[in-house]
């Protein structure tokens, strides 16, 4: 029989026990249709990269399946009907991985690294970085901002002095008129 990897996402509102019941129901359907689940992993609640049906998080469940395609079609049909399942993905593979999946290995690795933190890392020799540049604390705030735009500091007066902002007028969209309606239409009717 063909080998598949199947992952489904269920809503974050659903409890872990309900996710296990849903998984048991799906594996029951698989076994009735002549397949078997060789590995089952609960990846837990993880953040989604974008909202799916107004959910930002979801319960991830991973199944290694050895079943005919008709059994997987039935499972996918059941998942489409179930409101708690947000998404699912089935991939056909040549052989199943032995041991834990990459997601489970990643979570184990994160737990091992968690003890350190930023302050415990060795930053190495940073060498002489030289003097810091002087700060603009003696300048008034507007002059500091103008200095960033490229104008010069002249004893409290900026050369830009917001002259370009004073001469600007608000943008008004030109109203387009139709020659067959309004006042223009009356003129064209009287000409005929």
């Amino acid at each position: 029989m063909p080998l598949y990897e199947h992952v489904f996402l269920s809503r974050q509102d659903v409890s872990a026990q309900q996710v296990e019941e849903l998984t048991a129901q799906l594996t029951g359907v698989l076994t009735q249709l002549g397949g078997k689940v060789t590995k089952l992993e609960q990846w837990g609640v993880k953040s989604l990269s974008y909202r799916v049906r107004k959910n930002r998080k979801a319960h991830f469940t991973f199944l290694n399946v050895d079943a005919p395609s008709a059994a997987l079609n039935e499972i996918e049909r059941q998942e489409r009907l179930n409101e708690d399942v947000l998404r699912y993905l089935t991939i056909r593979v040549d052989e199943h991985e032995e041991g834990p999946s990459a997601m489970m290995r990643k979570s184990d690795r994160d737990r091992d690294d968690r003890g350190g933190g930023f302050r415990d890392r060795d930053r190495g020799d940073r060498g002489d970085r030289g003097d810091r540049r002087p700060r603009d604390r003696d300048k008034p705030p507007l002059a500091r901002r103008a200095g960033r735009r490229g104008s010069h500091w002249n004893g409290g007066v900026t050369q830009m002095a917001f002259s370009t902002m004073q001469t600007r007028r608000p943008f008004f969209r030109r109203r387009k008129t139709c020659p067959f309606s309004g006042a223009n239409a009356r003129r064209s009717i009287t000409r005929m």
Side-chain angles (χ1 to χ4, degrees):
M1 278 190 278
L3 303 174
Y4 297 96
E5 290 183 353
H6 183 76
V7 178
F8 68 92
L9 312 179
S10 49
R11 288 189 348 217
Q12 65 184 8
D13 306 342
V14 176
S15 68
Q17 181 182 4
Q18 289 174 316
V19 172
E20 289 174 7
E21 291 172 3
L22 176 63
T23 307
Q25 176 190 354
L26 295 175
T27 55
V29 170
L30 268 174
T31 54
Q32 285 177 355
L33 295 173
K36 63 179 179 178
V37 176
T38 57
K39 181 167 55 170
L40 170 75
E41 291 180 356
Q42 299 282 344
W43 290 345
V45 178
K46 297 196 174 291
S47 296
L48 302 173
S49 55
Y50 55 90
R51 291 174 68 179
V52 177
R53 293 192 207 164
K54 301 182 181 178
N55 289 290
R56 294 192 181 276
K57 293 185 176 186
H59 290 273
F60 283 66
T61 306
F62 172 76
L63 305 166
N64 272 350
V65 178
D66 184 8
S69 61
L72 278 165
N73 288 339
E74 177 60 23
I75 282 211
E76 291 178 352
R77 188 185 76 79
Q78 296 269 337
E79 288 173 340
R80 277 194 299 271
L81 294 174
N82 194 333
E83 293 178 356
D84 293 336
V85 176
L86 299 174
R87 294 277 164 97
Y88 59 88
L89 177 69
T90 306
I91 299 173
R92 184 172 179 177
V93 293
D94 294 330
E95 60 184 44
H96 288 148
E97 278 186 22
E98 294 299 322
S101 65
M103 291 294 285
M104 295 302 280
R105 285 190 305 249
K106 178 183 174 231
S107 64
D108 292 341
R109 186 181 65 231
D110 290 345
R111 286 190 193 114
D112 294 340
D113 292 343
R114 203 171 286 168
F118 177 73
R119 295 186 192 277
D120 295 340
R121 267 191 250 150
D122 182 26
R123 294 178 68 176
D125 183 27
R126 295 181 57 162
D128 184 22
R129 295 183 4 188
D131 296 333
R132 290 187 173 182
R133 62 180 178 85
R135 294 194 173 191
D136 298 335
R137 289 189 179 167
D138 54 334
K139 298 179 188 177
L142 287 176
R144 271 188 250 147
R145 269 191 250 137
R148 286 187 207 125
R149 288 191 194 119
S151 64
H152 303 290
W153 166 253
N154 281 339
V157 179
T158 59
Q159 287 183 349
M160 258 174 80
F162 302 108
S163 61
T164 56
M165 290 185 187
Q166 291 173 352
T167 59
R168 267 191 188 164
R169 292 188 197 139
F171 175 76
F172 292 107
R173 188 170 287 204
R174 195 175 132 218
R175 183 176 288 168
K176 295 179 181 177
T177 57
C178 177
F180 306 111
S181 64
N184 294 334
R186 290 186 206 117
R187 283 190 219 138
S188 62
I189 293 173
T190 56
R191 289 182 196 161
M192 289 183 184

mmCIF file of all heavy atoms in Angstrom, residues 67-106:
data_model
loop_
_atom_site.group_PDB
_atom_site.id
_atom_site.type_symbol
_atom_site.label_atom_id
_atom_site.label_comp_id
_atom_site.label_asym_id
_atom_site.label_seq_id
_atom_site.Cartn_x
_atom_site.Cartn_y
_atom_site.Cartn_z
ATOM 1 N N ALA A 67 -2.036 3.368 3.865
ATOM 2 C CA ALA A 67 -3.441 3.109 3.540
ATOM 3 C C ALA A 67 -3.683 3.303 2.053
ATOM 4 O O ALA A 67 -2.917 3.992 1.372
ATOM 5 C CB ALA A 67 -4.333 4.058 4.331
ATOM 6 N N PRO A 68 -4.768 2.719 1.537
ATOM 7 C CA PRO A 68 -5.131 2.967 0.133
ATOM 8 C C PRO A 68 -5.640 4.401 -0.039
ATOM 9 O O PRO A 68 -6.032 5.067 0.919
ATOM 10 C CB PRO A 68 -6.231 1.941 -0.127
ATOM 11 C CG PRO A 68 -6.760 1.572 1.193
ATOM 12 C CD PRO A 68 -5.651 1.738 2.168
ATOM 13 N N SER A 69 -5.624 4.853 -1.280
ATOM 14 C CA SER A 69 -6.030 6.236 -1.544
ATOM 15 C C SER A 69 -7.499 6.484 -1.214
ATOM 16 O O SER A 69 -7.874 7.602 -0.844
ATOM 17 C CB SER A 69 -5.740 6.605 -2.995
ATOM 18 O OG SER A 69 -6.473 5.755 -3.856
ATOM 19 N N ALA A 70 -8.346 5.466 -1.338
ATOM 20 C CA ALA A 70 -9.773 5.633 -1.016
ATOM 21 C C ALA A 70 -9.949 5.970 0.463
ATOM 22 O O ALA A 70 -10.811 6.786 0.825
ATOM 23 C CB ALA A 70 -10.537 4.361 -1.354
ATOM 24 N N ALA A 71 -9.122 5.386 1.330
ATOM 25 C CA ALA A 71 -9.205 5.684 2.757
ATOM 26 C C ALA A 71 -8.810 7.134 3.024
ATOM 27 O O ALA A 71 -9.445 7.823 3.839
ATOM 28 C CB ALA A 71 -8.311 4.732 3.545
ATOM 29 N N LEU A 72 -7.788 7.605 2.346
ATOM 30 C CA LEU A 72 -7.379 8.999 2.546
ATOM 31 C C LEU A 72 -8.409 9.979 1.982
ATOM 32 O O LEU A 72 -8.620 11.042 2.546
ATOM 33 C CB LEU A 72 -6.016 9.234 1.925
ATOM 34 C CG LEU A 72 -4.894 8.788 2.855
ATOM 35 C CD1 LEU A 72 -3.590 8.675 2.138
ATOM 36 C CD2 LEU A 72 -4.779 9.736 4.009
ATOM 37 N N ASN A 73 -9.034 9.616 0.885
ATOM 38 C CA ASN A 73 -10.105 10.477 0.360
ATOM 39 C C ASN A 73 -11.241 10.595 1.368
ATOM 40 O O ASN A 73 -11.814 11.682 1.545
ATOM 41 C CB ASN A 73 -10.638 9.920 -0.964
ATOM 42 C CG ASN A 73 -9.649 10.099 -2.087
ATOM 43 O OD1 ASN A 73 -8.762 10.936 -2.009
ATOM 44 N ND2 ASN A 73 -9.794 9.298 -3.134
ATOM 45 N N GLU A 74 -11.573 9.503 2.032
ATOM 46 C CA GLU A 74 -12.632 9.535 3.041
ATOM 47 C C GLU A 74 -12.216 10.379 4.248
ATOM 48 O O GLU A 74 -13.018 11.144 4.780
ATOM 49 C CB GLU A 74 -12.982 8.111 3.486
ATOM 50 C CG GLU A 74 -14.019 8.032 4.586
ATOM 51 C CD GLU A 74 -15.364 8.644 4.202
ATOM 52 O OE1 GLU A 74 -15.682 8.748 2.999
ATOM 53 O OE2 GLU A 74 -16.097 9.032 5.132
ATOM 54 N N ILE A 75 -10.969 10.266 4.665
ATOM 55 C CA ILE A 75 -10.484 11.080 5.795
ATOM 56 C C ILE A 75 -10.555 12.562 5.450
ATOM 57 O O ILE A 75 -10.984 13.376 6.256
ATOM 58 C CB ILE A 75 -9.048 10.673 6.161
ATOM 59 C CG1 ILE A 75 -9.099 9.400 6.938
ATOM 60 C CG2 ILE A 75 -8.345 11.759 6.918
ATOM 61 C CD1 ILE A 75 -8.028 9.223 7.931
ATOM 62 N N GLU A 76 -10.103 12.911 4.251
ATOM 63 C CA GLU A 76 -10.146 14.320 3.832
ATOM 64 C C GLU A 76 -11.579 14.819 3.728
ATOM 65 O O GLU A 76 -11.867 15.973 4.064
ATOM 66 C CB GLU A 76 -9.395 14.493 2.521
ATOM 67 C CG GLU A 76 -7.896 14.311 2.676
ATOM 68 C CD GLU A 76 -7.142 14.424 1.376
ATOM 69 O OE1 GLU A 76 -7.791 14.507 0.294
ATOM 70 O OE2 GLU A 76 -5.897 14.431 1.427
ATOM 71 N N ARG A 77 -12.489 13.964 3.286
ATOM 72 C CA ARG A 77 -13.910 14.348 3.246
ATOM 73 C C ARG A 77 -14.432 14.613 4.656
ATOM 74 O O ARG A 77 -15.106 15.605 4.903
ATOM 75 C CB ARG A 77 -14.734 13.252 2.575
ATOM 76 C CG ARG A 77 -16.180 13.641 2.306
ATOM 77 C CD ARG A 77 -16.963 12.467 1.753
ATOM 78 N NE ARG A 77 -17.292 11.503 2.792
ATOM 79 C CZ ARG A 77 -18.300 11.657 3.666
ATOM 80 N NH1 ARG A 77 -19.059 12.725 3.628
ATOM 81 N NH2 ARG A 77 -18.545 10.729 4.571
ATOM 82 N N GLN A 78 -14.064 13.752 5.599
ATOM 83 C CA GLN A 78 -14.489 13.932 7.000
ATOM 84 C C GLN A 78 -13.928 15.244 7.570
ATOM 85 O O GLN A 78 -14.606 15.950 8.304
ATOM 86 C CB GLN A 78 -13.999 12.759 7.856
ATOM 87 C CG GLN A 78 -14.579 11.428 7.484
ATOM 88 C CD GLN A 78 -15.829 11.124 8.255
ATOM 89 O OE1 GLN A 78 -16.040 11.668 9.315
ATOM 90 N NE2 GLN A 78 -16.647 10.262 7.694
ATOM 91 N N GLU A 79 -12.688 15.552 7.219
ATOM 92 C CA GLU A 79 -12.071 16.783 7.728
ATOM 93 C C GLU A 79 -12.698 18.028 7.121
ATOM 94 O O GLU A 79 -12.805 19.067 7.788
ATOM 95 C CB GLU A 79 -10.568 16.759 7.455
ATOM 96 C CG GLU A 79 -9.841 15.772 8.334
ATOM 97 C CD GLU A 79 -8.390 15.616 7.981
ATOM 98 O OE1 GLU A 79 -7.995 15.969 6.846
ATOM 99 O OE2 GLU A 79 -7.651 15.127 8.848
ATOM 100 N N ARG A 80 -13.119 17.937 5.857
ATOM 101 C CA ARG A 80 -13.815 19.083 5.249
ATOM 102 C C ARG A 80 -15.137 19.341 5.944
ATOM 103 O O ARG A 80 -15.559 20.490 6.095
ATOM 104 C CB ARG A 80 -14.049 18.828 3.762
ATOM 105 C CG ARG A 80 -12.858 19.152 2.897
ATOM 106 C CD ARG A 80 -13.242 19.207 1.425
ATOM 107 N NE ARG A 80 -13.768 17.938 0.925
ATOM 108 C CZ ARG A 80 -13.044 16.959 0.412
ATOM 109 N NH1 ARG A 80 -11.727 17.090 0.331
ATOM 110 N NH2 ARG A 80 -13.602 15.859 -0.034
ATOM 111 N N LEU A 81 -15.822 18.271 6.378
ATOM 112 C CA LEU A 81 -17.122 18.421 7.033
ATOM 113 C C LEU A 81 -16.993 18.906 8.475
ATOM 114 O O LEU A 81 -17.900 19.546 8.999
ATOM 115 C CB LEU A 81 -17.878 17.092 7.008
ATOM 116 C CG LEU A 81 -18.296 16.596 5.626
ATOM 117 C CD1 LEU A 81 -18.909 15.213 5.728
ATOM 118 C CD2 LEU A 81 -19.262 17.568 4.982
ATOM 119 N N ASN A 82 -15.883 18.603 9.125
ATOM 120 C CA ASN A 82 -15.696 18.953 10.524
ATOM 121 C C ASN A 82 -15.309 20.432 10.645
ATOM 122 O O ASN A 82 -14.357 20.888 10.017
ATOM 123 C CB ASN A 82 -14.600 18.072 11.134
ATOM 124 C CG ASN A 82 -14.596 18.139 12.634
ATOM 125 O OD1 ASN A 82 -15.013 19.115 13.228
ATOM 126 N ND2 ASN A 82 -14.112 17.075 13.245
ATOM 127 N N GLU A 83 -16.049 21.175 11.469
ATOM 128 C CA GLU A 83 -15.786 22.605 11.622
ATOM 129 C C GLU A 83 -14.532 22.886 12.436
ATOM 130 O O GLU A 83 -13.969 23.974 12.356
ATOM 131 C CB GLU A 83 -16.978 23.289 12.286
ATOM 132 C CG GLU A 83 -18.217 23.303 11.446
ATOM 133 C CD GLU A 83 -19.393 23.939 12.148
ATOM 134 O OE1 GLU A 83 -19.241 24.309 13.330
ATOM 135 O OE2 GLU A 83 -20.441 24.063 11.514
ATOM 136 N N ASP A 84 -14.098 21.926 13.238
ATOM 137 C CA ASP A 84 -12.918 22.137 14.079
ATOM 138 C C ASP A 84 -11.613 22.025 13.298
ATOM 139 O O ASP A 84 -10.581 22.524 13.743
ATOM 140 C CB ASP A 84 -12.900 21.132 15.230
ATOM 141 C CG ASP A 84 -14.030 21.377 16.203
ATOM 142 O OD1 ASP A 84 -14.515 22.527 16.254
ATOM 143 O OD2 ASP A 84 -14.433 20.430 16.900
ATOM 144 N N VAL A 85 -11.634 21.389 12.145
ATOM 145 C CA VAL A 85 -10.419 21.239 11.328
ATOM 146 C C VAL A 85 -10.299 22.453 10.418
ATOM 147 O O VAL A 85 -11.184 22.739 9.609
ATOM 148 C CB VAL A 85 -10.456 19.933 10.505
ATOM 149 C CG1 VAL A 85 -9.245 19.834 9.605
ATOM 150 C CG2 VAL A 85 -10.539 18.740 11.427
ATOM 151 N N LEU A 86 -9.186 23.174 10.561
ATOM 152 C CA LEU A 86 -8.963 24.366 9.740
ATOM 153 C C LEU A 86 -8.357 24.008 8.385
ATOM 154 O O LEU A 86 -8.840 24.448 7.349
ATOM 155 C CB LEU A 86 -8.018 25.329 10.465
ATOM 156 C CG LEU A 86 -8.495 25.869 11.801
ATOM 157 C CD1 LEU A 86 -7.404 26.686 12.456
ATOM 158 C CD2 LEU A 86 -9.741 26.698 11.611
ATOM 159 N N ARG A 87 -7.285 23.237 8.399
ATOM 160 C CA ARG A 87 -6.598 22.843 7.173
ATOM 161 C C ARG A 87 -6.063 21.433 7.322
ATOM 162 O O ARG A 87 -5.875 20.942 8.434
ATOM 163 C CB ARG A 87 -5.386 23.757 6.898
ATOM 164 C CG ARG A 87 -5.705 25.194 6.591
ATOM 165 C CD ARG A 87 -6.072 25.357 5.145
ATOM 166 N NE ARG A 87 -6.734 26.611 4.913
ATOM 167 C CZ ARG A 87 -6.155 27.711 4.472
ATOM 168 N NH1 ARG A 87 -4.869 27.703 4.232
ATOM 169 N NH2 ARG A 87 -6.846 28.798 4.273
ATOM 170 N N TYR A 88 -5.775 20.804 6.194
ATOM 171 C CA TYR A 88 -5.133 19.496 6.207
ATOM 172 C C TYR A 88 -4.250 19.386 4.973
ATOM 173 O O TYR A 88 -4.455 20.093 3.980
ATOM 174 C CB TYR A 88 -6.155 18.355 6.236
ATOM 175 C CG TYR A 88 -7.096 18.359 5.061
ATOM 176 C CD1 TYR A 88 -6.766 17.712 3.881
ATOM 177 C CD2 TYR A 88 -8.314 19.025 5.126
ATOM 178 C CE1 TYR A 88 -7.627 17.722 2.801
ATOM 179 C CE2 TYR A 88 -9.177 19.037 4.053
ATOM 180 C CZ TYR A 88 -8.829 18.390 2.895
ATOM 181 O OH TYR A 88 -9.673 18.409 1.822
ATOM 182 N N LEU A 89 -3.255 18.513 5.063
ATOM 183 C CA LEU A 89 -2.335 18.306 3.952
ATOM 184 C C LEU A 89 -1.882 16.853 3.967
ATOM 185 O O LEU A 89 -1.462 16.338 5.003
ATOM 186 C CB LEU A 89 -1.122 19.226 4.077
ATOM 187 C CG LEU A 89 -0.028 19.066 3.025
ATOM 188 C CD1 LEU A 89 -0.543 19.539 1.669
ATOM 189 C CD2 LEU A 89 1.193 19.853 3.418
ATOM 190 N N THR A 90 -1.999 16.204 2.822
ATOM 191 C CA THR A 90 -1.558 14.818 2.680
ATOM 192 C C THR A 90 -0.504 14.759 1.587
ATOM 193 O O THR A 90 -0.719 15.274 0.489
ATOM 194 C CB THR A 90 -2.738 13.904 2.307
ATOM 195 O OG1 THR A 90 -3.783 14.085 3.254
ATOM 196 C CG2 THR A 90 -2.314 12.455 2.284
ATOM 197 N N ILE A 91 0.624 14.125 1.903
ATOM 198 C CA ILE A 91 1.724 14.002 0.948
ATOM 199 C C ILE A 91 2.098 12.534 0.818
ATOM 200 O O ILE A 91 2.249 11.839 1.824
ATOM 201 C CB ILE A 91 2.951 14.801 1.419
ATOM 202 C CG1 ILE A 91 2.597 16.279 1.537
ATOM 203 C CG2 ILE A 91 4.118 14.625 0.472
ATOM 204 C CD1 ILE A 91 3.686 17.097 2.151
ATOM 205 N N ARG A 92 2.248 12.074 -0.409
ATOM 206 C CA ARG A 92 2.691 10.691 -0.624
ATOM 207 C C ARG A 92 4.217 10.654 -0.551
ATOM 208 O O ARG A 92 4.894 11.490 -1.160
ATOM 209 C CB ARG A 92 2.213 10.195 -1.974
ATOM 210 C CG ARG A 92 2.566 8.752 -2.194
ATOM 211 C CD ARG A 92 1.933 8.206 -3.422
ATOM 212 N NE ARG A 92 2.347 6.812 -3.565
ATOM 213 C CZ ARG A 92 1.922 6.040 -4.509
ATOM 214 N NH1 ARG A 92 1.060 6.493 -5.393
ATOM 215 N NH2 ARG A 92 2.334 4.803 -4.577
ATOM 216 N N VAL A 93 4.744 9.695 0.191
ATOM 217 C CA VAL A 93 6.194 9.571 0.367
ATOM 218 C C VAL A 93 6.633 8.165 -0.032
ATOM 219 O O VAL A 93 5.819 7.239 -0.080
ATOM 220 C CB VAL A 93 6.612 9.859 1.830
ATOM 221 C CG1 VAL A 93 6.366 11.312 2.185
ATOM 222 C CG2 VAL A 93 5.897 8.958 2.801
ATOM 223 N N ASP A 94 7.928 8.034 -0.309
ATOM 224 C CA ASP A 94 8.479 6.721 -0.656
ATOM 225 C C ASP A 94 8.637 5.848 0.576
ATOM 226 O O ASP A 94 8.388 4.657 0.541
ATOM 227 C CB ASP A 94 9.827 6.885 -1.364
ATOM 228 C CG ASP A 94 9.658 7.574 -2.709
ATOM 229 O OD1 ASP A 94 8.589 7.404 -3.330
ATOM 230 O OD2 ASP A 94 10.582 8.292 -3.132
ATOM 231 N N GLU A 95 9.099 6.452 1.666
ATOM 232 C CA GLU A 95 9.237 5.703 2.922
ATOM 233 C C GLU A 95 9.071 6.670 4.090
ATOM 234 O O GLU A 95 9.324 7.872 3.957
ATOM 235 C CB GLU A 95 10.586 5.008 2.993
ATOM 236 C CG GLU A 95 11.774 5.939 2.937
ATOM 237 C CD GLU A 95 13.086 5.187 2.910
ATOM 238 O OE1 GLU A 95 13.177 4.203 2.164
ATOM 239 O OE2 GLU A 95 13.998 5.605 3.635
ATOM 240 N N HIS A 96 8.633 6.150 5.210
ATOM 241 C CA HIS A 96 8.436 6.973 6.399
ATOM 242 C C HIS A 96 9.762 7.174 7.123
ATOM 243 O O HIS A 96 10.625 6.305 7.114
ATOM 244 C CB HIS A 96 7.436 6.313 7.359
ATOM 245 C CG HIS A 96 6.038 6.360 6.851
ATOM 246 N ND1 HIS A 96 5.133 5.378 7.127
ATOM 247 C CD2 HIS A 96 5.365 7.263 6.103
ATOM 248 C CE1 HIS A 96 3.971 5.680 6.578
ATOM 249 N NE2 HIS A 96 4.097 6.812 5.942
ATOM 250 N N GLU A 97 9.876 8.320 7.796
ATOM 251 C CA GLU A 97 11.060 8.598 8.612
ATOM 252 C C GLU A 97 11.017 7.753 9.869
ATOM 253 O O GLU A 97 9.954 7.560 10.457
ATOM 254 C CB GLU A 97 11.069 10.068 9.046
ATOM 255 C CG GLU A 97 11.598 11.039 8.050
ATOM 256 C CD GLU A 97 11.691 12.442 8.641
ATOM 257 O OE1 GLU A 97 11.752 12.583 9.879
ATOM 258 O OE2 GLU A 97 11.703 13.390 7.859
ATOM 259 N N GLU A 98 12.172 7.299 10.292
ATOM 260 C CA GLU A 98 12.268 6.596 11.567
ATOM 261 C C GLU A 98 12.543 7.624 12.659
ATOM 262 O O GLU A 98 13.243 8.604 12.428
ATOM 263 C CB GLU A 98 13.405 5.565 11.530
ATOM 264 C CG GLU A 98 13.151 4.430 10.554
ATOM 265 C CD GLU A 98 11.913 3.617 10.891
ATOM 266 O OE1 GLU A 98 11.655 3.394 12.088
ATOM 267 O OE2 GLU A 98 11.192 3.227 9.952
ATOM 268 N N GLY A 99 11.992 7.410 13.827
ATOM 269 C CA GLY A 99 12.213 8.326 14.938
ATOM 270 C C GLY A 99 11.271 9.521 14.861
ATOM 271 O O GLY A 99 10.329 9.553 14.065
ATOM 272 N N PRO A 100 11.527 10.525 15.682
ATOM 273 C CA PRO A 100 10.632 11.690 15.707
ATOM 274 C C PRO A 100 10.781 12.539 14.442
ATOM 275 O O PRO A 100 11.825 12.532 13.792
ATOM 276 C CB PRO A 100 11.090 12.457 16.946
ATOM 277 C CG PRO A 100 12.484 12.029 17.184
ATOM 278 C CD PRO A 100 12.576 10.630 16.689
ATOM 279 N N SER A 101 9.711 13.257 14.119
ATOM 280 C CA SER A 101 9.733 14.112 12.930
ATOM 281 C C SER A 101 10.586 15.354 13.196
ATOM 282 O O SER A 101 11.042 15.591 14.311
ATOM 283 C CB SER A 101 8.309 14.526 12.566
ATOM 284 O OG SER A 101 7.774 15.333 13.584
ATOM 285 N N ALA A 102 10.789 16.148 12.158
ATOM 286 C CA ALA A 102 11.627 17.340 12.274
ATOM 287 C C ALA A 102 11.042 18.342 13.261
ATOM 288 O O ALA A 102 11.788 19.002 13.980
ATOM 289 C CB ALA A 102 11.787 17.989 10.903
ATOM 290 N N MET A 103 9.740 18.449 13.332
ATOM 291 C CA MET A 103 9.118 19.391 14.272
ATOM 292 C C MET A 103 9.368 18.974 15.713
ATOM 293 O O MET A 103 9.601 19.816 16.577
ATOM 294 C CB MET A 103 7.611 19.486 14.014
ATOM 295 C CG MET A 103 7.258 20.152 12.725
ATOM 296 S SD MET A 103 7.699 21.879 12.676
ATOM 297 C CE MET A 103 6.451 22.576 13.711
ATOM 298 N N MET A 104 9.343 17.703 16.000
ATOM 299 C CA MET A 104 9.590 17.240 17.364
ATOM 300 C C MET A 104 11.075 17.377 17.707
ATOM 301 O O MET A 104 11.419 17.726 18.836
ATOM 302 C CB MET A 104 9.154 15.787 17.527
ATOM 303 C CG MET A 104 7.665 15.592 17.361
ATOM 304 S SD MET A 104 6.688 16.549 18.510
ATOM 305 C CE MET A 104 6.812 15.525 19.950
ATOM 306 N N ARG A 105 11.947 17.141 16.760
ATOM 307 C CA ARG A 105 13.377 17.331 17.012
ATOM 308 C C ARG A 105 13.680 18.788 17.264
ATOM 309 O O ARG A 105 14.487 19.136 18.104
ATOM 310 C CB ARG A 105 14.189 16.827 15.824
ATOM 311 C CG ARG A 105 14.259 15.322 15.742
ATOM 312 C CD ARG A 105 15.258 14.899 14.700
ATOM 313 N NE ARG A 105 14.981 15.493 13.398
ATOM 314 C CZ ARG A 105 14.563 14.812 12.338
ATOM 315 N NH1 ARG A 105 14.388 13.515 12.411
ATOM 316 N NH2 ARG A 105 14.349 15.411 11.199
ATOM 317 N N LYS A 106 13.006 19.680 16.545
ATOM 318 C CA LYS A 106 13.223 21.108 16.723
ATOM 319 C C LYS A 106 12.814 21.545 18.116
ATOM 320 O O LYS A 106 13.520 22.295 18.774
ATOM 321 C CB LYS A 106 12.424 21.885 15.679
ATOM 322 C CG LYS A 106 12.552 23.373 15.802
ATOM 323 C CD LYS A 106 11.692 24.101 14.791
ATOM 324 C CE LYS A 106 11.764 25.576 15.060
ATOM 325 N NZ LYS A 106 10.497 26.217 15.150
#
